[in-house]
Amino acid sequence: MLLAGCSTSKDEEAATSTPPPTPAAVTPEQTRAIAKEAYVYGFPMVDNYRVMYSYFVNKDDPEYKGSWNEIHSSAEVYTPEDKAVQTPNSDTPYSAVGADLRAEPLVLTVPPIEQDRYYSLQFVDLYTYNMAYVGSRTTGNGGGKYLLAGPNWQGEKPEGINEVIKSDTDLALVLYRTQLFGPSDIDQVKKIQAGYQVTPLSVFLNQPPPAPAPSIDFVPPLTRDQQKTSPQFFEILNFLLGFAPTPPAEEQLRARFATIGIRPDGDFDANKLTPETRTAVEGGMADAWAELDTLKQEKMDTGEVGSAQFFGTAADLKGNYLYRMAGAAFGIYGNTADEAIYPGASIDSAGAPLTGANNYIYRFAKDQLPPVNAFWSLTMYELPQSLLVENPMKRYLVNSPMLPSLVPDSDGGYTIYLQHASPGIEKESNWLPAPEGPFQVVLRLYWPKPDALNGVWKAPSPEKV
């Protein structure tokens, strides 16, 4: 999973260069092709909305954090009880802001943070593009004030603001990660989180607020499983496109979607589809997942592509909507490569799927620990859910702050034991408990050094014992 360029597929080139058919001329075959294209394009938006709905809309959801345009912090790391986000990070306590930018921008205040502690603010738009970063890598630990504005804001940077960050969508998400050095460090993390502040621009300028934006009638999201097969997916996509003005480069693509009713004011109604059209739409959705599965088998599992290609700005992804879908499907809200990379493994060194029925070792050779400016971690996830694994030790990862408690090999390397049962009391310090069945491990490198980005350093592969 190393940094490389992305290319636009032939399908995407056709979508932006071929005039869209008129609604009356759309055949079942064209409907299936357009549904597939719109599904690949829209999956990250719909899945993003599923999470944001649970965080900021549904007060009955156990994942609910609070209202929009406020910061909500948790001084805990993720556990197996956290199920909204697949492949969650359990290294850094999170803070989150669900941003509704229709009425006015928000001012985000970051306090000074000690130099050896990593932190970041990841700005994610509705498409799941990482539009900007504030943090140790990009802006330093000295603190500052940052303006987050929506697509229709045309103001100038106010005095006292370090930087203006523009979102291409009216709704956005800001995820804060604050490094936790260990259990005894939690009170210090709480103090830092208390210093994160969010205020409307009018409050920052001590001016009267603008007229409030109309209230949003949020539509109920689909579950993860329903998103895969239900044509109602496109009804939710239509709702979300209302918060995502069409980029100039996507005008023909969006016009093509509109020929089957997929547009902000679209008339796509899953309950009114003819049997023939419903079959075509469901076939297009299945085709999208088949293409993603092929990508995983032929390029992800072989290490040809990975997280470095799946996350970033719109310019970084260069119109590769399949890669954007892969990022959302396998690890939504993943970081841009310069901020973090995620070499993962769901197969062993011989190419067989990882399972708790076997025992494995994951070995860092001498002087081959992950090269990072911040820290690294190796996290265990149960498949197919991609969630943390419950275990008696309540250990969900092994990371660089734990090195003093790990037992090194005789040559100075480190061996991590990936298995369901204890490897024995003398090895438990280096044990990362696995589930009974299928699993994957994800190595996170925060603020990776050049050797990790350019391929000089390679992540280990699990070896079956």
Side-chain angles (χ1 to χ4, degrees):
M1 294 188 174
L2 302 170
L3 187 62
C6 300
S7 60
T8 305
S9 71
K10 292 180 180 178
D11 287 347
E12 288 150 6
E13 290 175 358
T16 56
S17 61
T18 304
T22 63
V26 178
T27 65
E29 292 77 15
Q30 289 173 321
T31 296
R32 180 167 182 157
I34 294 168
K36 173 194 173 184
E37 195 172 23
Y39 188 90
V40 170
Y41 177 94
F43 177 84
M45 301 179 72
V46 173
D47 200 50
N48 186 12
Y49 176 69
R50 175 186 63 79
V51 177
M52 294 175 76
Y53 187 92
S54 70
Y55 280 3
F56 310 117
V57 179
N58 185 6
K59 295 181 180 180
D60 295 327
D61 194 301
E63 306 282 351
Y64 180 73
K65 298 186 181 302
S67 300
W68 295 85
N69 294 349
E70 299 175 358
I71 186 163
H72 308 285
S73 295
S74 173
E76 299 175 345
V77 293
Y78 279 2
T79 73
E81 297 302 310
D82 297 284
K83 302 181 185 297
V85 174
Q86 53 269 41
T87 55
N89 151 19
S90 192
D91 295 282
T92 58
Y94 275 90
S95 305
V97 176
D100 179 355
L101 304 170
R102 293 173 300 151
E104 63 175 320
L106 298 176
V107 175
L108 285 65
T109 299
V110 176
I113 296 172
E114 63 265 44
Q115 290 299 315
D116 63 342
R117 186 186 302 273
Y118 170 86
Y119 83 100
S120 69
L121 280 64
Q122 176 189 7
F123 293 78
V124 187
D125 66 16
L126 200 53
Y127 301 115
T128 66
Y129 290 128
N130 296 332
M131 51 187 161
Y133 279 91
V134 166
S136 300
R137 177 183 66 88
T138 52
T139 57
N141 286 36
K145 296 182 183 296
Y146 303 88
L147 186 77
L148 175 59
N152 297 317
W153 186 75
Q154 302 296 329
E156 298 294 326
K157 184 176 79 167
E159 185 177 352
I161 295 294
N162 295 67
E163 182 182 345
V164 174
I165 296 167
K166 286 292 294 285
S167 171
D168 288 335
T169 58
D170 292 318
L171 302 181
L173 177 66
V174 188
L175 289 176
Y176 298 59
R177 295 172 175 88
T178 308
Q179 185 178 4
L180 176 70
F181 293 124
S184 63
D185 184 46
I186 198 69
D187 286 341
Q188 183 59 27
V189 168
K190 289 180 181 179
K191 291 178 183 177
I192 294 169
Q193 289 179 330
Y196 296 138
Q197 298 175 13
V198 177
T199 57
L201 177 60
S202 59
V203 173
F204 175 78
L205 297 175
N206 196 26
Q207 295 177 351
S215 61
I216 299 173
D217 185 12
F218 289 100
V219 300
L222 298 174
T223 66
R224 263 194 215 144
D225 287 341
Q226 290 170 336
Q227 287 175 174
K228 293 183 176 181
T229 58
S230 172
Q232 286 183 315
F233 172 98
F234 296 106
E235 297 175 17
I236 296 175
L237 179 57
N238 280 359
F239 167 74
L240 297 174
L241 289 173
F243 303 100
T246 302
E250 293 183 355
E251 287 182 0
Q252 290 195 358
L253 183 69
R254 294 277 193 100
R256 181 172 161 83
F257 296 165
T259 62
I260 61 170
I262 300 171
R263 59 181 185 272
D265 57 349
D267 56 0
F268 190 99
D269 186 336
N271 292 324
K272 294 182 179 179
L273 298 176
T274 66
E276 185 178 47
T277 300
R278 187 180 186 94
T279 296
V281 168
E282 290 176 342
M285 298 174 72
D287 292 344
W289 283 105
E291 185 173 17
L292 184 66
D293 188 57
T294 298
L295 174 71
K296 183 178 187 304
Q297 292 183 28
E298 295 183 358
K299 293 189 176 182
M300 294 177 63
D301 289 348
T302 62
E304 182 179 341
V305 301
S307 69
Q309 290 83 43
F310 297 160
F311 304 109
T313 63
D316 291 334
L317 269 75
K318 301 178 183 176
N320 195 322
Y321 303 118
L322 181 64
Y323 280 12
R324 189 172 77 184
M325 179 185 176
F330 297 119
I332 195 167
Y333 310 138
N335 281 293
T336 301
D338 285 342
E339 194 70 33
I341 57 173
Y342 310 88
S346 58
I347 58 176
D348 63 22
S349 57
L354 299 176
T355 171
N358 299 323
N359 298 337
Y360 307 88
I361 60 170
Y362 190 95
R363 186 173 189 276
F364 296 112
K366 181 182 179 182
D367 300 326
Q368 288 297 306
L369 289 173
V372 292
N373 291 297
F375 70 97
W376 60 264
S377 71
L378 181 70
T379 308
M380 172 71 65
Y381 297 101
E382 186 171 11
L383 293 176
Q385 304 93 330
S386 289
L387 297 176
L388 298 169
V389 177
E390 187 64 71
N391 64 85
M393 294 183 70
K394 298 191 181 303
R395 177 183 290 172
Y396 315 121
L397 55 82
V398 172
N399 62 18
S400 49
M402 295 169 60
L403 278 175
S405 66
L406 302 183
V407 177
D409 299 334
S410 58
D411 66 354
Y414 287 89
T415 297
I416 310 300
Y417 301 96
L418 312 177
Q419 54 190 76
H420 180 64
S422 168
I425 190 67
E426 73 282 358
K427 295 179 179 178
E428 281 192 351
S429 62
N430 295 32
W431 177 35
L432 183 54
E436 292 182 337
F439 69 86
Q440 66 171 335
V441 289
V442 175
L443 185 64
R444 288 178 166 83
L445 282 69
Y446 283 93
W447 193 353
K449 291 183 176 180
D451 280 359
L453 292 170
N454 62 24
V456 171
W457 178 87
K458 303 287 188 183
S461 292
E463 298 177 32
K464 182 180 174 182
V465 177

